[in-house]
Amino acid sequence: MKKSTAIQVVLLASTAGVAARLGHQLITHNVSVMATISAVLAVLSTGLFIASRLAYVGRTVVYDCPAKGCAVSIRVTDVPETERARYRSYAVDHRKHSGSA
């Protein structure tokens, strides 16, 4: 499991604060317990989802072919540097993936 980044920690802490405040407001306005729990869990799960997507985006590298009109784009996540170099060389050398010699 990857270590959390500072941005993820701040995002999750602020999400927890928003969820707690929302739960408090709903309870003080006589909203049912089940509706309050549902709303709080929805806010918390949204925060967790966004934090997980931030972690994924931070570990992803995209290599595009520099040839004009070529649509080759390689997205690499969580691979060793040697493997990343192999993908990069494939993406930037148009002859390797265009079928021309």
Side-chain angles (χ1 to χ4, degrees), residues 1-73:
M1 184 169 170
K2 299 288 181 184
K3 189 175 175 183
S4 297
T5 63
I7 294 172
Q8 289 174 300
V9 171
V10 169
L11 177 68
L12 291 173
S14 61
T15 300
V18 168
R21 178 73 176 150
L22 174 66
H24 179 264
Q25 285 182 341
L26 290 175
I27 289 294
T28 58
H29 286 87
N30 296 325
V31 175
S32 73
V33 174
M34 290 307 290
T36 302
I37 290 172
S38 297
V40 168
L41 289 177
V43 170
L44 289 174
S45 65
T46 301
L48 284 171
F49 176 76
I50 293 170
S52 72
R53 299 314 302 164
L54 282 175
Y56 178 77
V57 168
R59 297 186 321 261
T60 303
V61 179
V62 178
Y63 302 112
D64 296 320
C65 180
K68 188 168 181 84
C70 183
V72 169
S73 179

